[in-house]
């Protein structure tokens, strides 16, 4: 079975929801525009990383263990970052629930666990380039429909 790296986003009625507008906050605002859930152990999210994301006007919630996730709060999150070190059967069931809820998720590694060879994974760290890469992936996938095409796509 091949596991998808990213899921989808939808409102409570199952309709695809618009991706958050990163430019909607007034200049100088310190209130994060949207939340991203982090699934991992306590070492998954360092305070320097949390502060860097907050500076980008994104609140990282967690890290939370997979068995402590309240799916009733799924509408609170623009997406989910999942520490790949935690993949097990319980997490696979949770990812299936995210897909049913059309909530985008991405597997990540923490910046201290970078592989020395091979493709560069999504990294949860304070580097602005890593933040941008994760946000772009979540936002792009959040606009895709069940056929994998971007909403409004004419191809």
């Amino acid at each position: 079975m091949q596991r998808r790296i990213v899921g989808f986003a939808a409102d409570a009625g199952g309709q695809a929801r618009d991706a958050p507008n990163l430019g909607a906050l007034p200049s100088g605002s310190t209130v994060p525009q949207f939340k991203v859930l982090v699934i991992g152990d306590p070492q998954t999210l360092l305070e320097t990383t949390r502060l860097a994301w907050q500076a980008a006007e994104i609140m990282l919630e967690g890290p939370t263990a997979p068995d402590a996730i309240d799916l009733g709060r799924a509408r609170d999150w623009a997406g989910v970052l999942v520490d790949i070190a935690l993949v097990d059967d319980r997490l696979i069931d949770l990812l299936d629930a995210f897909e049913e809820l059309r909530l985008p998720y991405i597997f990540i590694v923490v910046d201290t666990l970078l592989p020395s060879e091979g493709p560069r994974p999504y990294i949860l760290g304070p580097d602005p380039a890593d933040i941008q890469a994760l946000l772009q992936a979540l936002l792009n996938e959040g606009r895709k429909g069940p056929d994998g095409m971007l909403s409004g796509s004419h191809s």
Side-chain angles (χ1 to χ4, degrees), residues 31-44:
V31 178
Q33 182 173 359
F34 65 99
K35 295 179 190 176
V36 175
L37 177 66
V38 177
I39 298 177
D41 61 33
Q43 293 77 35
T44 300

Side-chain angles (χ1 to χ4, degrees), residues 4 6-12 14-20 74 77-79 98-105 138-146 151:
R4 297 173 41 126
V6 183
F8 302 103
D11 62 19
Q15 298 297 314
R17 62 181 170 174
D18 291 332
W77 306 309
F98 288 161
E99 286 190 23
E100 287 178 27
L101 293 168
R102 300 176 63 90
L103 181 66
Y105 62 88
L138 283 174
L139 294 177
N140 284 342
E141 290 302 318
R143 291 182 296 209
K144 286 188 179 176
S151 298

Side-chain angles (χ1 to χ4, degrees), residues 36 53 60 80-82 106-109 121-125 127-140:
V36 175
W53 281 71
L60 294 179
V80 182
L81 305 178
V82 182
I106 298 177
F107 290 104
I108 53 96
V109 297
Y122 288 111
I123 301 163
L124 180 59
D127 186 303
D130 293 334
I131 294 170
Q132 183 65 32
L134 280 166
L135 285 179
Q136 192 63 46
L138 283 174
L139 294 177
N140 284 342

Side-chain angles (χ1 to χ4, degrees), residues 6-94:
V6 183
F8 302 103
D11 62 19
Q15 298 297 314
R17 62 181 170 174
D18 291 332
N21 177 359
L22 294 177
L25 280 183
S27 179
S29 174
T30 58
V31 178
Q33 182 173 359
F34 65 99
K35 295 179 190 176
V36 175
L37 177 66
V38 177
I39 298 177
D41 61 33
Q43 293 77 35
T44 300
L45 181 58
L46 302 175
E47 192 61 22
T48 54
T49 298
R50 184 183 304 278
L51 292 173
W53 281 71
Q54 204 168 4
E57 299 178 344
I58 299 142
M59 181 180 158
L60 294 179
E61 186 175 312
T64 305
D67 55 353
I69 304 296
D70 176 7
L71 290 175
R73 295 194 51 226
R75 289 185 53 131
D76 293 347
W77 306 309
V80 182
L81 305 178
V82 182
D83 187 340
I84 199 154
L86 296 181
V87 174
D88 64 12
D89 289 339
R90 290 177 310 165
L91 183 62
I92 298 301
D93 291 341
L94 182 61

